[in-house]
Amino acid sequence: MTNLLDASSSGLQTAARILREGGLVAFGTETVYGLGGDATQPKTVARIFEAKNRPRFNPLISHFADAQAAFTQVVANPLAHKLADTFWPGPLTLILPRAPHSTVSDLAADGLPTLAVRVPKGETVQALLKLVQRPIAAPSANRSGRISPSDAAHVLEELDGRIDAVLDSGPCQVGVESTVLDISNPERPTLLRPGGITLEALQAVCGTIFMPETEVDAAPASPGRLLSHYAPHLPVRLNATDVAPDEALLAFGNTQPSEAAISWNLSESGNLEEAAARLFTGLRTLDKQGQSHHLRGIAVQPIPQHGLGLAIQDRLNRAAAPRPALPPEDLPA
Ligand code: AMP
Ligand code: MG
């Protein structure tokens, strides 16, 4: 049984106790719900992979209450301090060399010489991390290869019975995951995953941002970039300018084709922040309703390619990518 906790002080105390004792607690951040566990306890980290059915080779992001705590686990350079001052708490994950005395388990870091660290935003998650005072590994709280959850009910749909508790802090505000920026070499800040902090905002602080050479090269370093990811059951058709009667429609803006039997508009006013926040719920809703109406797929209207549009498109590309011939639970995270 998974305990549903509210964000009261007793809910927070219970969540913190479970985490310190090595249990698993899903909690809301500004991006998506994370499946949290103490990153210093390898058994706990293993339980995270197990609960998610996640392939073992994924390194996890460690979460902290503030930059000071985060920088005890990594070797921070001046660029790291500048980025932390600008964007933390917030949806930016920094990859930095692991500190020699880092207490994060090898399993959480996947044996890499680098570590992913982040300070998430939100009253509840901040209060929780302050109480726990440990690095908390927290991949998205969904089964591997499935849509990331943006509220507590989604977490329960995916993980009820597989984790100890869900701390309910309401729906997430950003709705897509954090931007992952590798600054282990500060001369070459490299964008490993687009996300809640835009490329333009990073460029304003860092100057040039490098991209990994190819998707293939990036895959081992950042498995979140694996092509088939965030996969709904129904096939996804991108950049659709029309919709067939047997397709569900994921719309954007106010030029929605009227033929669609089932549709979800990411943002009628064309606002990319609203669209990001509604993305995973929209995919999940259309996938569920589409299946029950025996539709053949989900058509997605074009998304503008600037700001958060890049992160939204990245998730949609993965949702649309050809699936490996494996049962859904075995898809890579
Ligand atoms: P998630 O756990 O779903 O939020 O995804 C975490 C993302 O961070 C994945 O894309 C990981 O591959 C990436 N990541 C975590 N640690 C590292 C690391 N040390 N080097 C490169 N990428 C990392
Ligand atoms: Mg994920």
Short mmCIF file of all heavy atoms in Angstrom, two decimals, residues 147-151 154 175 230 232 234 236 248-251 262-267 274-290 298-300 316 319:
data_model
loop_
_atom_site.label_atom_id
_atom_site.label_comp_id
_atom_site.label_asym_id
_atom_site.label_seq_id
_atom_site.Cartn_x
_atom_site.Cartn_y
_atom_site.Cartn_z
N ILE A 147 4.78 8.14 -19.49
CA ILE A 147 4.65 9.59 -19.40
C ILE A 147 4.96 10.07 -17.96
O ILE A 147 4.51 9.45 -17.00
CB ILE A 147 3.23 10.00 -19.81
CG1 ILE A 147 2.96 9.52 -21.25
CG2 ILE A 147 3.03 11.49 -19.69
CD1 ILE A 147 1.50 9.54 -21.65
N SER A 148 5.69 11.16 -17.84
CA SER A 148 6.04 11.68 -16.51
C SER A 148 4.80 12.23 -15.81
O SER A 148 3.96 12.87 -16.45
CB SER A 148 7.08 12.78 -16.63
OG SER A 148 8.25 12.27 -17.20
N PRO A 149 4.67 12.00 -14.50
CA PRO A 149 3.47 12.44 -13.79
C PRO A 149 3.55 13.89 -13.34
O PRO A 149 4.56 14.31 -12.79
CB PRO A 149 3.45 11.52 -12.56
CG PRO A 149 4.88 11.16 -12.35
CD PRO A 149 5.60 11.26 -13.67
N SER A 150 2.47 14.64 -13.55
CA SER A 150 2.49 16.02 -13.09
C SER A 150 1.47 16.28 -11.97
O SER A 150 1.27 17.41 -11.57
CB SER A 150 2.29 16.99 -14.26
OG SER A 150 1.30 16.51 -15.13
N ASP A 151 0.84 15.22 -11.45
CA ASP A 151 0.14 15.36 -10.17
C ASP A 151 0.12 14.03 -9.41
O ASP A 151 0.51 12.99 -9.95
CB ASP A 151 -1.24 16.00 -10.32
CG ASP A 151 -2.26 15.10 -11.00
OD1 ASP A 151 -2.14 13.86 -10.87
OD2 ASP A 151 -3.18 15.63 -11.64
N HIS A 154 -1.53 10.88 -10.88
CA HIS A 154 -0.74 10.21 -11.92
C HIS A 154 0.28 9.26 -11.29
O HIS A 154 0.52 8.17 -11.79
CB HIS A 154 0.04 11.21 -12.77
CG HIS A 154 -0.81 12.08 -13.63
ND1 HIS A 154 -0.34 13.24 -14.19
CD2 HIS A 154 -2.10 11.97 -14.01
CE1 HIS A 154 -1.29 13.80 -14.90
NE2 HIS A 154 -2.37 13.07 -14.79
N GLY A 175 5.88 21.32 -15.56
CA GLY A 175 5.29 20.19 -16.28
C GLY A 175 6.25 19.44 -17.19
O GLY A 175 5.95 18.34 -17.59
N TYR A 230 8.86 8.39 -23.01
CA TYR A 230 7.57 9.02 -22.77
C TYR A 230 6.50 8.43 -23.69
O TYR A 230 5.72 9.15 -24.31
CB TYR A 230 7.63 10.53 -23.03
CG TYR A 230 8.77 11.20 -22.36
CD1 TYR A 230 9.91 11.55 -23.04
CD2 TYR A 230 8.70 11.47 -20.99
CE1 TYR A 230 10.96 12.15 -22.40
CE2 TYR A 230 9.75 12.07 -20.35
CZ TYR A 230 10.88 12.42 -21.05
OH TYR A 230 11.91 13.01 -20.44
N PRO A 232 3.28 6.89 -25.08
CA PRO A 232 1.89 6.48 -24.86
C PRO A 232 1.68 5.14 -25.57
O PRO A 232 2.52 4.72 -26.37
CB PRO A 232 1.08 7.57 -25.55
CG PRO A 232 2.03 8.59 -26.04
CD PRO A 232 3.39 7.98 -26.04
N LEU A 234 -0.79 4.55 -27.76
CA LEU A 234 -1.18 4.85 -29.14
C LEU A 234 -0.01 5.50 -29.89
O LEU A 234 0.73 6.29 -29.32
CB LEU A 234 -2.37 5.82 -29.15
CG LEU A 234 -3.70 5.25 -28.66
CD1 LEU A 234 -4.77 6.36 -28.65
CD2 LEU A 234 -4.14 4.08 -29.53
N VAL A 236 1.99 8.13 -32.16
CA VAL A 236 1.90 9.59 -32.16
C VAL A 236 2.36 10.12 -33.51
O VAL A 236 3.40 9.72 -34.02
CB VAL A 236 2.78 10.16 -31.03
CG1 VAL A 236 2.85 11.69 -31.11
CG2 VAL A 236 2.24 9.73 -29.66
N ALA A 248 -7.08 10.92 -32.15
CA ALA A 248 -7.25 11.94 -31.11
C ALA A 248 -6.31 13.09 -31.46
O ALA A 248 -5.30 12.88 -32.13
CB ALA A 248 -6.89 11.36 -29.76
N LEU A 249 -6.66 14.29 -31.01
CA LEU A 249 -5.86 15.47 -31.40
C LEU A 249 -5.24 16.14 -30.18
O LEU A 249 -5.94 16.52 -29.24
CB LEU A 249 -6.73 16.48 -32.14
CG LEU A 249 -6.02 17.79 -32.50
CD1 LEU A 249 -4.99 17.57 -33.60
CD2 LEU A 249 -7.03 18.85 -32.94
N LEU A 250 -3.91 16.30 -30.22
CA LEU A 250 -3.23 17.14 -29.24
C LEU A 250 -3.01 18.48 -29.93
O LEU A 250 -2.18 18.61 -30.83
CB LEU A 250 -1.90 16.51 -28.81
CG LEU A 250 -1.19 17.20 -27.65
CD1 LEU A 250 -1.99 17.09 -26.35
CD2 LEU A 250 0.21 16.63 -27.43
N ALA A 251 -3.82 19.46 -29.54
CA ALA A 251 -3.85 20.73 -30.27
C ALA A 251 -2.94 21.76 -29.61
O ALA A 251 -2.59 21.65 -28.43
CB ALA A 251 -5.28 21.25 -30.33
N ILE A 262 -11.89 13.49 -30.18
CA ILE A 262 -11.34 13.71 -28.84
C ILE A 262 -10.15 14.63 -28.99
O ILE A 262 -9.28 14.39 -29.84
CB ILE A 262 -10.87 12.38 -28.24
CG1 ILE A 262 -12.03 11.40 -28.09
CG2 ILE A 262 -10.17 12.60 -26.90
CD1 ILE A 262 -11.60 10.03 -27.67
N SER A 263 -10.11 15.69 -28.19
CA SER A 263 -8.94 16.55 -28.32
C SER A 263 -8.55 17.14 -26.97
O SER A 263 -9.35 17.15 -26.02
CB SER A 263 -9.21 17.67 -29.32
OG SER A 263 -10.19 18.53 -28.80
N TRP A 264 -7.31 17.61 -26.91
CA TRP A 264 -6.78 18.26 -25.72
C TRP A 264 -5.95 19.42 -26.24
O TRP A 264 -5.00 19.21 -26.99
CB TRP A 264 -5.91 17.26 -24.94
CG TRP A 264 -5.23 17.86 -23.75
CD1 TRP A 264 -4.07 18.59 -23.75
CD2 TRP A 264 -5.63 17.77 -22.37
NE1 TRP A 264 -3.73 18.97 -22.47
CE2 TRP A 264 -4.68 18.47 -21.61
CE3 TRP A 264 -6.71 17.17 -21.73
CZ2 TRP A 264 -4.77 18.58 -20.23
CZ3 TRP A 264 -6.80 17.28 -20.35
CH2 TRP A 264 -5.84 17.97 -19.61
N ASN A 265 -6.32 20.65 -25.86
CA ASN A 265 -5.54 21.79 -26.33
C ASN A 265 -4.48 22.15 -25.30
O ASN A 265 -4.80 22.40 -24.13
CB ASN A 265 -6.45 22.98 -26.63
CG ASN A 265 -5.78 23.95 -27.58
OD1 ASN A 265 -4.58 24.21 -27.47
ND2 ASN A 265 -6.53 24.47 -28.55
N LEU A 266 -3.22 22.13 -25.73
CA LEU A 266 -2.11 22.45 -24.82
C LEU A 266 -2.21 23.90 -24.36
O LEU A 266 -1.94 24.20 -23.20
CB LEU A 266 -0.77 22.20 -25.51
CG LEU A 266 -0.44 20.74 -25.79
CD1 LEU A 266 0.81 20.63 -26.66
CD2 LEU A 266 -0.26 19.97 -24.49
N SER A 267 -2.55 24.78 -25.28
CA SER A 267 -2.77 26.17 -24.90
C SER A 267 -3.51 26.87 -26.03
O SER A 267 -2.95 27.07 -27.11
CB SER A 267 -1.44 26.88 -24.64
OG SER A 267 -1.68 28.27 -24.50
N GLU A 274 2.14 27.41 -20.55
CA GLU A 274 0.90 26.68 -20.27
C GLU A 274 0.94 25.32 -20.98
O GLU A 274 0.58 24.28 -20.42
CB GLU A 274 -0.31 27.49 -20.76
CG GLU A 274 -1.63 26.81 -20.43
CD GLU A 274 -2.86 27.50 -21.04
OE1 GLU A 274 -2.71 28.24 -22.04
OE2 GLU A 274 -3.95 27.28 -20.51
N ALA A 275 1.45 25.31 -22.22
CA ALA A 275 1.52 24.07 -23.00
C ALA A 275 2.42 23.05 -22.31
O ALA A 275 2.08 21.86 -22.22
CB ALA A 275 2.02 24.36 -24.41
N ALA A 276 3.57 23.49 -21.81
CA ALA A 276 4.49 22.57 -21.13
C ALA A 276 3.82 21.97 -19.90
O ALA A 276 3.89 20.76 -19.66
CB ALA A 276 5.77 23.30 -20.73
N ALA A 277 3.13 22.82 -19.14
CA ALA A 277 2.49 22.34 -17.92
C ALA A 277 1.37 21.34 -18.22
O ALA A 277 1.07 20.48 -17.41
CB ALA A 277 1.96 23.52 -17.11
N ARG A 278 0.76 21.45 -19.40
CA ARG A 278 -0.37 20.58 -19.73
C ARG A 278 0.02 19.38 -20.61
O ARG A 278 -0.82 18.55 -20.95
CB ARG A 278 -1.46 21.40 -20.47
CG ARG A 278 -2.21 22.35 -19.54
CD ARG A 278 -3.11 23.33 -20.31
NE ARG A 278 -4.06 22.71 -21.21
CZ ARG A 278 -5.20 22.12 -20.84
NH1 ARG A 278 -5.53 22.06 -19.56
NH2 ARG A 278 -6.00 21.58 -21.73
N LEU A 279 1.31 19.27 -20.95
CA LEU A 279 1.73 18.29 -21.95
C LEU A 279 1.49 16.84 -21.51
O LEU A 279 0.82 16.07 -22.20
CB LEU A 279 3.21 18.50 -22.28
CG LEU A 279 3.84 17.48 -23.22
CD1 LEU A 279 3.19 17.53 -24.59
CD2 LEU A 279 5.34 17.72 -23.34
N PHE A 280 2.04 16.46 -20.37
CA PHE A 280 1.98 15.05 -19.99
C PHE A 280 0.55 14.63 -19.65
O PHE A 280 0.13 13.52 -19.96
CB PHE A 280 2.93 14.74 -18.83
CG PHE A 280 4.38 14.79 -19.24
CD1 PHE A 280 5.27 15.62 -18.58
CD2 PHE A 280 4.86 14.00 -20.28
CE1 PHE A 280 6.61 15.67 -18.96
CE2 PHE A 280 6.19 14.05 -20.67
CZ PHE A 280 7.06 14.88 -20.00
N THR A 281 -0.18 15.52 -18.99
CA THR A 281 -1.58 15.20 -18.68
C THR A 281 -2.37 15.03 -19.97
O THR A 281 -3.21 14.14 -20.10
CB THR A 281 -2.22 16.30 -17.82
OG1 THR A 281 -1.37 16.52 -16.70
CG2 THR A 281 -3.60 15.92 -17.33
N GLY A 282 -2.08 15.89 -20.96
CA GLY A 282 -2.76 15.80 -22.24
C GLY A 282 -2.48 14.48 -22.94
O GLY A 282 -3.41 13.79 -23.41
N LEU A 283 -1.21 14.10 -23.00
CA LEU A 283 -0.84 12.83 -23.66
C LEU A 283 -1.52 11.66 -22.96
O LEU A 283 -2.06 10.75 -23.58
CB LEU A 283 0.68 12.62 -23.60
CG LEU A 283 1.50 13.28 -24.70
CD1 LEU A 283 2.99 13.10 -24.42
CD2 LEU A 283 1.15 12.70 -26.07
N ARG A 284 -1.46 11.71 -21.62
CA ARG A 284 -2.03 10.62 -20.83
C ARG A 284 -3.55 10.52 -21.05
O ARG A 284 -4.09 9.43 -21.24
CB ARG A 284 -1.73 10.89 -19.36
CG ARG A 284 -1.95 9.77 -18.42
CD ARG A 284 -1.62 10.24 -17.01
NE ARG A 284 -0.19 10.39 -16.80
CZ ARG A 284 0.61 9.39 -16.44
NH1 ARG A 284 0.11 8.19 -16.25
NH2 ARG A 284 1.89 9.59 -16.26
N THR A 285 -4.21 11.67 -21.05
CA THR A 285 -5.66 11.69 -21.21
C THR A 285 -6.07 11.19 -22.59
O THR A 285 -6.96 10.34 -22.74
CB THR A 285 -6.19 13.13 -21.01
OG1 THR A 285 -5.75 13.58 -19.73
CG2 THR A 285 -7.70 13.19 -21.06
N LEU A 286 -5.38 11.70 -23.64
CA LEU A 286 -5.73 11.28 -25.00
C LEU A 286 -5.43 9.80 -25.21
O LEU A 286 -6.18 9.09 -25.89
CB LEU A 286 -4.95 12.11 -26.03
CG LEU A 286 -5.33 13.60 -26.11
CD1 LEU A 286 -4.48 14.28 -27.17
CD2 LEU A 286 -6.81 13.78 -26.42
N ASP A 287 -4.34 9.33 -24.61
CA ASP A 287 -3.96 7.93 -24.76
C ASP A 287 -5.06 7.04 -24.17
O ASP A 287 -5.50 6.07 -24.78
CB ASP A 287 -2.63 7.71 -24.03
CG ASP A 287 -1.97 6.39 -24.41
OD1 ASP A 287 -2.16 5.95 -25.56
OD2 ASP A 287 -1.26 5.82 -23.57
N LYS A 288 -5.52 7.41 -22.99
CA LYS A 288 -6.53 6.62 -22.29
C LYS A 288 -7.87 6.65 -23.04
O LYS A 288 -8.45 5.63 -23.36
CB LYS A 288 -6.70 7.19 -20.88
CG LYS A 288 -7.07 6.14 -19.85
CD LYS A 288 -7.27 6.80 -18.50
CE LYS A 288 -6.03 6.63 -17.62
NZ LYS A 288 -6.19 7.33 -16.34
N GLN A 289 -8.33 7.89 -23.33
CA GLN A 289 -9.64 8.02 -24.01
C GLN A 289 -9.58 7.44 -25.41
O GLN A 289 -10.53 6.81 -25.87
CB GLN A 289 -10.05 9.49 -24.07
CG GLN A 289 -10.35 10.07 -22.70
CD GLN A 289 -10.76 11.54 -22.79
OE1 GLN A 289 -10.73 12.13 -23.87
NE2 GLN A 289 -11.13 12.12 -21.66
N GLY A 290 -8.45 7.66 -26.11
CA GLY A 290 -8.30 7.16 -27.47
C GLY A 290 -8.37 5.65 -27.51
O GLY A 290 -9.00 5.07 -28.41
N ILE A 298 -2.60 9.36 -32.05
CA ILE A 298 -2.72 10.74 -31.57
C ILE A 298 -2.01 11.64 -32.58
O ILE A 298 -0.83 11.45 -32.86
CB ILE A 298 -2.06 10.90 -30.18
CG1 ILE A 298 -2.72 9.96 -29.17
CG2 ILE A 298 -2.12 12.35 -29.72
CD1 ILE A 298 -2.00 9.89 -27.82
N ALA A 299 -2.74 12.61 -33.14
CA ALA A 299 -2.14 13.60 -34.04
C ALA A 299 -1.78 14.83 -33.22
O ALA A 299 -2.55 15.26 -32.36
CB ALA A 299 -3.12 13.96 -35.15
N VAL A 300 -0.58 15.38 -33.46
CA VAL A 300 -0.11 16.52 -32.69
C VAL A 300 0.11 17.70 -33.61
O VAL A 300 0.84 17.60 -34.60
CB VAL A 300 1.22 16.19 -31.97
CG1 VAL A 300 1.67 17.37 -31.11
CG2 VAL A 300 1.09 14.93 -31.13
N LEU A 316 7.87 15.24 -27.33
CA LEU A 316 6.95 14.71 -28.34
C LEU A 316 7.69 13.82 -29.34
O LEU A 316 7.17 12.78 -29.76
CB LEU A 316 6.26 15.86 -29.07
CG LEU A 316 5.21 16.60 -28.25
CD1 LEU A 316 4.77 17.89 -28.95
CD2 LEU A 316 4.00 15.70 -27.99
N ALA A 319 7.96 10.57 -27.74
CA ALA A 319 6.66 9.89 -27.70
C ALA A 319 6.33 9.29 -29.07
O ALA A 319 5.65 8.28 -29.17
CB ALA A 319 5.57 10.88 -27.28
#
